[in-house]
């Protein structure tokens, strides 16, 4: 087991056995070696599906932080959330008075869960308000925005993290360990793909101005991370193709991308990301041995296997606590004055690769990446 996984998974054996026996997500009992006397307050900015179905419930189980405020432009949502989560009126903001949050001592962290085009603006404004920031992925619309967000947070002396929940998932940490430690030898080939059906032109993610380019901006982030973190290298070359099968829905963005990333060791990763078909897997092979997650990236659970002569399962729990550990880890970074493993620099890396993939798809040429 890697040191990274141990840091996240370490707890007393008795407590682990007890939570497993009860069918509870064992990792959400952890406090990373520290119990805060007062949890850090979190304000969610944007109350869409992810905030509603994943983040708010997770914040009811975190140990080092708690939901204390919301920012929404919908009065009905404000009323519902206030009742459901006991949020006082003084901690409910809209987009007109958002900057007043600087005066609220109940808020230590602002989590930006808005459409992609709004990430940079609200991350920088949150930093200017003196609050630490988690920005949902993708970090920005382009590399320049990511650089501005990092600079803005550094100038304000606040910490920045990106909402990379899978950085705290034991299956993905195990894939990283197997690849980085070369348990089965050098990785030669990987597949890292994610897609599902979102054939609705009214969804903001299909709007280029709001989403930035469709599936590659949303699902492609996972594909890129899965490959580069498993092998422990950054790609030096990408080639890509964009495709559109339904021109009535996908009018100014690609319906999907296929792309290849080449790594310094010579390993190749092939990926498909799309808004029209289901695929969800991460597979790495060193020759005749392999290790894989299928499904890999969805928010409702992960399953893994490896083959070293016979197929064997990976046995971890992953459902329900990815966001719990993500949130508590960032709170711990603030408490201990450390940089998050899911830092702004990590978000910048992914946008640099995405820009190269877009360029390759538009031009038909391979794009070289320099780090």
């Amino acid at each position: 087991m890697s040191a990274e996984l141990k840091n996240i998974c370490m707890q007393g054996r008795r407590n682990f056995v007890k939570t497993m026996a009860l069918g509870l997500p064992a990792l959400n009992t952890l406090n990373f070696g520290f119990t805060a006397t007062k949890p850090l307050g979190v304000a969610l900015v944007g109350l869409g599906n992810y905030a509603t179905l994943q983040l708010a419930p997770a914040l009811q189980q975190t140990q080092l932080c708690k939901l204390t405020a919301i920012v929404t432009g919908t009065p009905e949502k404000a009323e519902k959330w206030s009742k459901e989560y006991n949020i006082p009126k003084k901690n409910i903001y809209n987009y007109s008075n958002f900057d007043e949050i600087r005066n609220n001592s109940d808020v230590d962290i602002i989590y930006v869960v808005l459409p992609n085009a709004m990430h940079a603006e609200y991350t920088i404004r949150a930093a200017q308000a003196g609050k630490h920031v988690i920005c949902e992925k993708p970090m920005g619309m382009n590399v320049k925005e990511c650089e501005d967000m990092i600079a803005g947070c550094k100038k304000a002396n606040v910490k920045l993290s990106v909402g990379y929940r899978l950085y705290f998932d034991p299956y993905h940490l195990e894939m990283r360990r197997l690849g980085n430690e070369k348990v089965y030898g050098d990785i030669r080939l990987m597949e890292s793909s994610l897609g599902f059906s979102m054939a609705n032109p009214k969804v903001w993610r299909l709007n280029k101005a709001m989403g930035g380019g469709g599936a590659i901006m949303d699902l492609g982030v996972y594909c890129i991370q899965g490959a580069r973190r498993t092998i422990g290298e950054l790609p030096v070359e990408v080639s890509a193709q964009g495709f559109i099968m339904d021109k009535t829905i996908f009018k100014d963005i690609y319906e999907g991308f296929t792309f290849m990333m080449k790594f310094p060791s010579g390993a190749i990763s092939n990926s498909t990301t799309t808004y029209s078909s289901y695929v969800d897997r991460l597979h790495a092979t060193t020759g005749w041995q392999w290790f894989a997650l299928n499904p890999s990236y969805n928010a409702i659970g992960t399953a893994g296997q490896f083959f070293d002569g016979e197929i064997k399962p990976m046995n971890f729990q992953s459902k329900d606590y990815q966001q719990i550990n993500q949130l508590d880890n960032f709170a711990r970074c603030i408490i201990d004055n450390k940089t998050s493993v899911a830092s702004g620099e990590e978000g910048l890396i992914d946008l640099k690769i995405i820009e190269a993939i877009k360029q390759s798809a538009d031009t038909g040429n391979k794009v070289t990446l320099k780090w």
Side-chain angles (χ1 to χ4, degrees):
M1 182 179 288
S2 68
E4 183 176 18
L5 183 52
K6 285 181 179 178
N7 286 338
I8 291 178
C9 295
M10 187 176 297
Q11 63 174 3
R13 184 177 185 276
R14 181 180 300 174
N15 193 34
F16 178 83
V17 173
K18 179 181 178 181
T19 53
M20 289 289 284
L22 292 173
L24 300 174
L27 296 191
N28 74 357
T29 66
L30 306 187
N31 58 18
F32 306 97
F34 179 89
T35 300
T37 55
K38 179 184 177 183
L40 301 183
V42 178
L44 294 178
V45 184
L47 306 182
N49 286 336
Y50 189 60
T52 302
L53 301 178
Q54 301 290 337
L55 295 177
L59 282 163
Q60 307 315 300
Q61 300 184 61
T62 47
Q63 294 189 2
L64 303 185
C65 55
K66 63 180 291 187
L67 177 63
T68 56
I70 55 174
V71 181
T72 178
T74 307
E76 293 79 11
K77 287 185 179 180
E79 183 177 356
K80 180 180 178 180
W81 280 61
S82 177
K83 291 179 180 178
E84 185 170 356
Y85 295 110
N86 194 30
I87 298 173
K89 290 185 178 180
K90 72 181 183 67
N91 289 359
I92 299 175
Y93 297 86
N94 56 49
Y95 300 110
S96 297
N97 66 5
F98 170 76
D99 297 305
E100 295 176 12
I101 205 167
R102 70 172 62 248
N103 302 315
N104 194 332
S105 60
D106 292 341
V107 177
D108 303 287
I109 301 167
I110 291 177
Y111 198 141
V112 179
V113 206
L114 295 166
N116 302 344
M118 304 171 75
H119 285 185
E121 176 189 349
Y122 277 85
T123 292
I124 293 170
R125 286 170 67 180
Q128 291 172 341
K131 309 300 182 181
H132 303 287
V133 191
I134 305 174
C135 178
E136 193 43 50
K137 59 85 189 161
M139 181 176 165
M141 295 281 275
N142 50 55
V143 167
K144 178 62 166 57
E145 282 195 352
C146 294
E147 291 172 341
D148 290 344
M149 294 160 75
I150 292 170
C153 289
K154 286 183 177 178
K155 181 178 180 180
N157 196 29
V158 299
K159 296 192 179 298
L160 171 63
S161 181
V162 186
Y164 288 162
R165 58 186 171 81
L166 295 179
Y167 277 38
F168 308 94
D169 177 84
Y171 285 93
H172 281 265
L173 289 170
E174 179 66 358
M175 288 290 289
R176 189 181 190 198
R177 184 187 74 84
L178 293 172
N180 288 198
E181 296 181 10
K182 303 182 187 300
V183 173
Y184 301 119
D186 293 327
I187 292 175
R188 298 181 181 182
L189 185 66
M190 288 182 286
E191 181 191 349
S192 181
S193 295
L194 179 61
F196 56 78
S197 178
M198 189 187 284
N200 182 353
K202 295 182 180 180
V203 175
W204 65 259
R205 288 181 174 85
L206 270 63
N207 182 310
K208 187 174 183 179
M210 295 295 288
I216 191 63
M217 294 290 288
D218 181 15
L219 312 182
V221 174
Y222 293 117
C223 302
I224 291 166
Q225 286 180 352
R228 71 174 179 85
R229 281 173 59 81
T230 296
I231 196 170
E233 299 175 7
L234 295 177
V236 292
E237 182 181 282
V238 301
S239 58
Q241 290 182 313
F243 60 88
I244 302 175
M245 293 184 285
D246 191 340
K247 295 182 180 180
T248 64
I249 295 176
F250 300 93
K251 296 181 179 180
D252 59 352
I253 62 172
Y254 289 116
E255 185 172 337
F257 288 81
T258 60
F259 59 94
M260 182 187 76
M261 296 187 291
K262 184 177 180 179
F263 294 89
S265 62
I268 297 295
S269 173
N270 292 302
S271 298
T272 299
T273 183
T274 174
Y275 272 156
S276 60
S277 300
Y278 178 82
V279 59
D280 184 356
R281 71 190 228 121
L282 172 60
H283 184 100
T285 177
T286 61
W288 63 272
Q289 296 173 308
W290 54 262
F291 45 103
L293 303 180
N294 187 3
S296 176
Y297 300 111
N298 70 71
I300 59 173
T302 304
Q305 295 178 320
F306 60 92
F307 179 82
D308 59 1
E310 62 178 309
I311 297 176
K312 301 174 184 177
M314 293 184 193
N315 292 311
F316 299 102
Q317 289 186 328
S318 69
K319 187 178 179 180
D320 296 334
Y321 58 69
Q322 294 169 351
Q323 292 85 2
I324 297 170
N325 287 333
Q326 173 203 334
L327 289 157
D328 268 343
N329 181 270
F330 186 56
R332 178 60 190 266
C333 287
I334 294 169
I335 294 166
D336 288 350
N337 193 26
K338 294 182 178 179
T339 300
S340 170
V341 64
S343 64
E345 285 74 14
E346 285 287 289
L348 174 62
I349 286 171
D350 293 331
L351 260 296
K352 186 172 182 178
I353 297 169
I354 285 174
E355 286 194 352
I357 290 169
K358 287 182 175 181
Q359 181 184 342
S360 178
D362 288 342
T363 64
N365 299 321
K366 295 179 181 178
V367 176
T368 299
L369 285 161
K370 296 181 180 180
W371 303 99

